[in-house]
Amino acid sequence: MSILEDAREVAAQSPVCDPCLGRVFADRSFGLTNAERGRSLRVAAALEDDEEPEEVAREDCWVCEGECARFDEWAERCVEAVEGVEFDTYQVGTRAPPLVEENEVLLREGAGLAEDAGELFKSEYNREVGKRFGRLTETEVEFGRPDVQFLLDIDADTVAVEINSTFVYGRYRKLERDIPQTEWPCNKCHGTGYLGKQPCDKCDGTGYMYQESVEGLTAPVVMDVMDGTDAKFHGAGREDVDALMLGTGRPFVIEIMEPRRRDVDVERLEGDINAFAGGKAEVEGLRLAAYDMVERVKQLNASKRYRAEVEFGDDVTEEELADALAELDGATIEQYTPNRVDHRRAALTRTREVFEATGEWADERHATVEVHGAGGLYIKELVSGDEGRTEPSLAGLLGVDAVVTALDVTGVYGVDEEFENESFFRGDPR
């Protein structure tokens, strides 16, 4: 059969509106809407038959139950649903009524066509409502991860909106010790602040092991400025609680859930965060980021540079220190899971590289050691040996006990490429 003969068979099950007629042949003649396609087929068949083309009001169609007359209405409802929300991209999804889906099957069966001929009702609804919404809001459809997503439940007559997270990238420096990177719930009361009806004696009823964190000094400001409902801090690794993070700072991303604002002044935001942190931490290089920057921050192969104040258990000469550091410079280190973290890390031996090891001798019992090493290298254990769990170690090479009394991280670098790749940012660079 020709396409006109098929169209006649479909239209003969009147009343069938132009969109429902055209939808059966949606894989033909690209560039037309289903309504245009259906009308064209109806007119072409009427011309060939020398008849007046039938006029079918969308509200009267038995296939879509009149729903194809409501594209504009649904688009306007979507606009109302995101009033006051900033966004640049969107996506529309539709939950089709079961009756309409059943009617679609019956329509094709009645015309002797395949059940899957053309496209689905919900596909047309997504497109037609989406086009209208885009025109009304001057925004773009995005099929990957849009700023806002709509689900039109036609049977329930509801519009559900999902506002996807937005992200801010930067680098932070931690300027005081005994501040963790992220909030650390109390392990005794499990973050509740109470043991039974009494305040927890371990955290003084606060629910946290430490009352401040880099997350707590930064994320609330971003959440407030972007008017979100929650925030999550993602760091490129983390330093020990008692270590400072200095130098180039550590890359991080703050994720803001359900933001009502996305396009903020990052320079002003940077100033607001630093003022709020009160000298305990500071951020720089803030940029609006794409969602895949979170994975980049967490997964990009990175090296770290450390400065450690070291105390020896016996006298060490300047020459002995220099010789030991020369042995560590460029060495491959085998580290069995350290004693201090074996309660939360898998017990295994890791191999890590020391790219550079230098030091400054202060006196027979003290020195400053600087190490540039691969990500995951445990510096405190590289110094102490951790009862033989780390080989080689500074203590082992010197033959004396050695302990880190103060540790600073002074640099975090991408090994193969820098973290700050423009393809992972939104908007223009500062």
Side-chain angles (χ1 to χ4, degrees):
M1 294 178 69
S2 70
I3 187 173
L4 283 183
E5 290 172 323
D6 287 338
R8 288 189 185 96
E9 292 295 323
V10 174
Q13 302 173 73
S14 186
V16 179
C17 69
D18 289 342
C20 287
L21 172 59
R23 189 163 58 253
V24 178
F25 307 98
D27 55 348
R28 306 291 290 270
S29 186
F30 298 105
L32 298 175
T33 66
N34 284 334
E36 292 168 339
R37 187 177 290 109
R39 186 60 184 166
S40 297
L41 289 170
R42 202 187 299 275
V43 170
L47 285 171
E48 188 172 83
D49 298 338
D50 193 20
E51 296 178 352
E52 186 76 20
E54 183 183 15
E55 300 286 343
V56 178
R58 298 187 187 188
E59 292 84 354
D60 297 333
C61 178
W62 70 271
V63 182
C64 68
E65 298 281 317
E67 292 299 337
C68 287
R70 301 180 65 198
F71 294 148
D72 290 320
E73 175 192 336
W74 282 102
E76 290 166 1
R77 290 176 65 179
C78 289
V79 173
E80 293 173 1
V82 290
E83 184 177 359
V85 177
E86 288 184 357
F87 62 95
D88 297 312
T89 58
Y90 68 90
Q91 185 181 132
V92 175
T94 302
R95 182 173 292 136
L99 179 58
V100 171
E101 293 180 322
E102 181 180 337
N103 290 345
E104 292 261 276
V105 174
L106 293 174
L107 178 69
R108 287 158 176 76
E109 285 181 351
L113 300 175
E115 183 178 319
D116 60 351
E119 71 174 345
L120 298 173
F121 168 85
K122 64 180 181 181
S123 298
E124 178 174 19
Y125 232 86
N126 296 344
R127 183 175 60 255
E128 292 302 323
V129 175
K131 286 192 302 185
R132 289 161 172 78
F133 176 82
R135 287 196 295 267
L136 290 170
T137 57
E138 298 182 342
T139 55
E140 298 292 329
V141 65
E142 166 62 54
F143 296 111
R145 192 179 187 283
D147 295 336
V148 294
Q149 292 176 265
F150 301 94
L151 178 60
L152 317 180
D153 190 326
I154 294 177
D155 249 3
D157 198 33
T158 59
V159 176
V161 185
E162 181 176 351
I163 303 173
N164 285 323
S165 298
T166 193
F167 305 87
V168 176
Y169 168 86
R171 285 176 177 259
Y172 76 83
R173 284 184 284 272
K174 190 177 76 178
L175 308 177
E176 289 189 8
R177 303 190 191 279
D178 297 321
I179 296 178
Q181 181 189 87
T182 55
E183 294 180 346
W184 193 330
C186 175
N187 57 15
K188 188 171 183 179
C189 66
H190 305 291
T192 65
Y194 286 88
L195 295 173
K197 296 183 178 181
Q198 299 300 316
C200 176
D201 56 356
K202 187 169 185 178
C203 65
D204 293 328
T206 64
Y208 294 99
M209 297 291 290
Y210 297 86
Q211 300 314 301
E212 292 179 312
S213 63
V214 176
E215 177 181 23
L217 294 170
T218 58
V221 180
V222 184
M223 186 174 72
D224 180 61
V225 169
M226 292 187 150
D227 197 7
T229 59
D230 201 358
K232 188 173 182 180
F233 191 99
H234 307 275
R238 61 177 67 218
E239 66 283 341
D240 291 340
V241 172
D242 60 353
L244 299 182
M245 179 66 242
L246 305 173
T248 62
R250 185 181 297 275
F252 71 92
V253 173
I254 293 176
E255 176 182 359
I256 301 300
M257 287 70 167
E258 299 183 40
R260 297 183 69 81
R261 297 185 62 201
R262 290 178 183 272
D263 299 317
V264 301
D265 184 335
V266 289
E267 291 189 6
R268 181 174 180 178
L269 178 60
E270 193 172 289
D272 290 344
I273 291 173
N274 291 339
F276 181 76
K280 298 171 183 176
E282 62 185 13
V283 300
E284 67 178 11
L286 294 192
R287 296 283 300 275
L288 301 177
Y291 79 98
D292 47 3
M293 181 55 98
V294 172
E295 182 178 359
R296 181 174 179 82
V297 160
K298 289 182 171 295
Q299 301 298 329
L300 188 67
N301 188 19
S303 66
K304 318 286 172 60
R305 189 176 291 276
Y306 301 86
R307 181 175 62 236
E309 299 298 325
V310 179
E311 182 176 323
F312 303 114
D314 208 339
D315 290 352
V316 172
T317 67
E318 188 171 1
E319 292 74 22
E320 288 171 333
L321 175 64
D323 290 344
L325 290 173
E327 288 286 326
L328 289 178
D329 194 291
T332 298
I333 310 299
E334 290 190 353
Q335 293 189 308
Y336 189 74
T337 303
N339 281 308
R340 65 188 173 93
V341 299
D342 64 2
H343 62 288
R344 64 177 189 272
R345 298 287 174 88
L348 51 85
T349 298
R350 298 172 176 84
T351 300
R352 296 291 186 267
E353 302 297 319
V354 173
F355 303 134
E356 182 182 8
T358 60
E360 183 176 338
W361 184 84
D363 57 44
E364 288 81 0
R365 295 296 180 99
H366 301 89
T368 300
V369 172
E370 296 194 11
V371 175
H372 181 201
L377 177 67
Y378 292 106
I379 298 302
K380 291 177 179 177
E381 286 68 28
L382 179 67
V383 170
S384 71
D386 195 27
E387 299 178 349
R389 289 176 173 235
T390 292
E391 291 287 348
S393 68
L394 183 61
L397 292 169
L398 289 171
V400 302
D401 289 340
V403 62
V404 173
T405 58
L407 180 66
D408 303 332
V409 186
T410 59
V412 178
Y413 318 99
V415 173
D416 300 315
E417 58 178 315
E418 291 299 324
F419 284 88
E420 293 81 3
N421 183 309
E422 285 298 320
S423 65
F424 291 85
F425 294 120
R426 294 196 297 114
D428 298 326
R430 294 193 296 176

